[in-house]
Amino acid sequence: MEQTTNELKGSDVLAKDRQEPEDLWQRYGAKRGVWTLKMLEALEQGVKGNKWFSLMDKVCRLDVLAMAAEKVVSNAGGCGVDNMTVHTFQKTSQDRLLAVNKQLKEGCYQPLVIKRKWIPKSFGSGERPLGIPAVVDRVVQTALKMVIEPIFEKEFAPRSYGFRPGRGCKHALREVDNLWKAERNFIVDIDIKGYFDSIPQDKLMEKVKERIADGRVLKLIEAYLKQKVMDGLEEWQPDAGTPQGGVISPLLANIYLNDLDWIMEGRGLPMVRYADDMVILCQSKEGAEEALRVIQKWMTEAGLTLHPEKTRIVDMTEKGAYFEFLGYQFKRTLNGKRNRFPRKKSLKKFKEKIKAKTRRTNGTSLNTIVEEINPIIMGWFGYFKNCHKQTFKDVDGWIRGRFRGILRKRRGGKGRGRGSDHKLWTNHYFDTLGLVNLTREREWSLTVSSIGAKH
């Protein structure tokens, strides 16, 4: 029998009852010094009307702003429109925080224009817009987030993993893997067209107001939504969306999709979501079709649009079928086993980074090249280490081929390394240079995981 959304939320709250204080801090991602144990207990038990008042006094507290500033400085990041670096801010932080504290108390704080920058997409080709707020605005947003995040964290569904305390890509990928291995072979791959830039701001604020009744905090959130954007010499004020790059934006994006998370959960349709990247894993084609209908209806009512080409149902029982999620490609190998591989675009992006460091005309020493690319290789491996073993054999061979091409060029040869070059410069030769061996790294990682599981 299907449970209603409220029943699911209620049972989730009951499961948290009578926890030790430390568990409460971790569960809601609350920061000591910002939230008190008394506040957490009130959050756990439920406040009157389920709305929170008097939050701005916590946002503008000097010690909270100082904690936020420390976090912003540690994250570094670029300059906003005022060209102030985090290091410049840090030098005079005490005076700046006092000024911000006064502005927030008096209600005259106004965020600066956001500087837009275009950066490569995390997974795949193309670019996405990134908004860079001024350092001082990042500090205030961080303080605001530390104050309000636990309120909404309590409400979030269990299969939402993006930008939440104690959760990340690996947790979302593991959940997808487990559901697929449980014979959920009909995948609904969801793509929201320009999600962060198209969230209706009025509807988003309605959802925020369901839990927050402090007018000054609501005014502050609206001020961030209505920040002007500067791209080169062009400046405008968006009438929809929440700026990508803003500290508060991921939390607001999660708030807007939370109702959908619970609707799918209540219908017994497991949807795994990381920000706006989501897949639903169903046991039947009919279930997948139902899931897509529910999603389409909700998106229309929410003022969002599904990408007509990227949103699809995949039958993973068909030969050659696959779906992609967070940079991984899920598909069956020839023996029928379920496996993960790097998405083609993810692998291409990685190879482009290596190519830039291993051109045949590169005049630096091999040792220097190895030192430069090893961190790139290990960073990529850290994310994709759970791929099928053949992935690493192929990538190892390709990287060594790049080095053989350099050596071939230096001996007066042409073209990439091939043929007898493998005998001239063996795999062992590259081991002596200290080049990362991904195949060996994977074996070591599996051994460590196995030992950890036993203990």
Side-chain angles (χ1 to χ4, degrees):
M1 182 182 294
E2 292 183 354
Q3 289 178 285
T4 65
T5 297
N6 288 335
E7 285 174 338
L8 281 163
K9 289 182 179 179
S11 62
D12 189 47
V13 170
L14 288 173
K16 304 173 200 168
D17 283 348
R18 297 184 180 180
Q19 295 182 73
E20 293 298 321
E22 190 62 35
D23 292 334
L24 294 179
W25 292 95
Q26 294 176 359
R27 177 175 290 279
Y28 301 124
K31 301 291 188 296
R32 293 184 180 275
V34 181
W35 278 70
T36 64
L37 181 57
K38 186 176 180 180
M39 289 171 64
L40 279 173
E41 288 173 344
L43 177 65
E44 180 74 2
Q45 295 165 10
V47 295
K48 186 177 180 180
N50 217 5
K51 289 189 178 183
W52 287 76
F53 297 81
S54 303
L55 295 172
M56 180 55 83
D57 61 320
K58 298 168 183 61
V59 176
C60 66
R61 260 177 29 207
L62 277 173
D63 60 327
V64 173
L65 289 170
M67 288 173 61
E70 185 178 345
K71 189 172 181 62
V72 169
V73 170
S74 67
N75 289 339
C79 306
V81 292
D82 59 356
N83 291 321
M84 181 181 294
T85 66
V86 292
H87 300 296
T88 300
F89 178 88
Q90 190 178 25
K91 291 176 182 177
T92 56
S93 62
Q94 188 171 358
D95 291 339
R96 296 184 187 279
L97 293 181
L98 282 169
V100 170
N101 167 265
K102 182 179 179 182
Q103 290 169 1
L104 288 170
K105 283 182 176 179
E106 296 176 354
C108 60
Y109 165 79
Q110 282 295 326
L112 297 174
V113 176
I114 292 175
K115 182 169 72 175
R116 172 161 285 189
K117 183 178 180 181
W118 293 86
I119 63 170
K121 290 183 177 180
S122 299
F123 305 113
S125 59
E127 294 182 316
R128 66 179 180 89
L130 178 69
I132 306 178
V135 176
V136 66
D137 293 332
R138 300 208 293 270
V139 170
V140 178
Q141 283 195 42
T142 301
L144 175 63
K145 181 173 180 283
M146 289 193 297
V147 171
I148 71 171
E149 183 173 47
I151 297 170
F152 295 99
E153 183 62 28
K154 179 176 184 286
E155 304 281 333
F156 289 154
R159 290 193 174 99
S160 165
Y161 293 95
F163 305 105
R164 293 182 58 189
R167 291 169 172 243
C169 290
K170 65 179 182 180
H171 302 101
L173 289 163
R174 186 182 300 127
E175 179 70 3
V176 168
D177 204 39
N178 290 336
L179 288 167
W180 184 34
K181 288 177 179 177
E183 298 297 332
R184 290 183 173 271
N185 290 314
F186 293 87
I187 317 299
V188 187
D189 194 351
I190 302 296
D191 188 285
I192 306 175
K193 201 170 182 180
Y195 175 58
F196 278 83
D197 290 332
S198 61
I199 302 173
Q201 294 178 353
D202 56 342
K203 294 188 178 195
L204 171 58
M205 286 306 301
E206 286 175 12
K207 292 184 182 295
V208 174
K209 289 175 183 178
E210 289 176 5
R211 296 292 173 263
I212 294 179
D214 187 323
R216 292 184 298 169
V217 167
L218 294 173
K219 181 182 176 182
L220 184 59
I221 295 172
E222 285 187 292
Y224 286 127
L225 291 176
K226 297 184 182 301
Q227 272 181 280
K228 290 186 177 181
V229 178
M230 179 176 287
D231 190 348
L233 298 176
E234 187 180 358
E235 183 178 315
W236 74 96
Q237 181 176 309
D239 55 7
T242 177
Q244 294 189 59
V247 177
I248 200 73
S249 293
L251 174 60
L252 295 176
N254 276 334
I255 291 171
Y256 199 66
L257 288 175
N258 186 50
D259 283 350
L260 176 62
D261 293 334
W262 283 109
I263 288 170
M264 302 309 289
E265 196 77 19
R267 287 176 173 266
L269 298 168
M271 181 175 79
V272 183
R273 183 172 69 80
Y274 188 96
D276 60 335
D277 201 348
M278 61 193 84
V279 289
I280 308 162
L281 295 94
C282 305
Q283 293 176 323
S284 66
K285 184 179 179 182
E286 293 74 23
E289 290 171 346
E290 177 198 353
L292 185 54
R293 283 194 296 270
V294 172
I295 291 282
Q296 288 171 330
K297 182 176 183 295
W298 190 90
M299 291 290 171
T300 300
E301 293 172 352
L304 301 172
T305 304
L306 293 178
H307 197 292
E309 296 173 0
K310 295 180 180 179
T311 299
R312 63 189 185 124
I313 294 176
V314 183
D315 181 355
M316 293 297 289
T317 63
E318 293 182 353
K319 185 178 180 181
Y322 67 89
F323 69 96
E324 297 175 336
F325 185 62
L326 297 180
Y328 274 82
Q329 183 184 89
F330 294 77
K331 66 183 297 185
R332 293 181 188 269
T333 47
L334 293 176
N335 58 9
K337 290 185 177 180
R338 296 172 174 83
N339 276 293
R340 290 193 253 177
F341 299 86
R343 187 182 178 193
K344 288 182 180 179
K345 290 181 179 178
S346 301
L347 186 57
K348 181 182 178 183
K349 187 175 178 180
F350 166 71
K351 287 187 173 182
E352 285 174 351
K353 290 181 180 179
I354 299 299
K355 281 181 179 179
K357 302 284 187 180
T358 57
R359 302 192 188 283
R360 286 193 289 273
T361 54
N362 192 318
T364 57
S365 70
L366 295 186
N367 294 95
T368 299
I369 298 173
V370 167
E371 288 178 4
E372 290 179 349
I373 70 169
N374 271 352
I376 299 174
I377 298 171
M378 287 305 297
W380 182 84
F381 174 75
Y383 189 79
F384 289 104
K385 63 183 176 182
N386 293 315
C387 283
H388 187 270
K389 61 182 180 181
Q390 189 60 44
T391 299
F392 307 106
K393 291 181 180 179
D394 292 344
V395 173
D396 276 336
W398 178 81
I399 293 174
R400 287 192 290 261
R402 298 289 302 177
F403 275 90
R404 290 184 179 111
I406 295 172
L407 291 164
R408 186 184 182 90
K409 174 75 174 178
R410 291 179 181 180
R411 291 191 59 177
K414 296 181 179 180
R416 62 184 183 182
R418 60 184 183 273
S420 60
D421 291 344
H422 289 77
K423 295 180 180 179
L424 191 58
W425 300 293
T426 64
N427 294 349
H428 177 69
Y429 171 76
F430 297 109
D431 288 340
T432 61
L433 289 175
L435 180 65
V436 169
N437 184 311
L438 287 170
T439 304
R440 194 178 300 128
E441 289 292 336
R442 178 182 180 273
E443 291 171 355
W444 172 250
S445 177
L446 290 174
T447 301
V448 172
S449 298
S450 177
I451 293 172
K454 290 179 181 178
H455 292 278

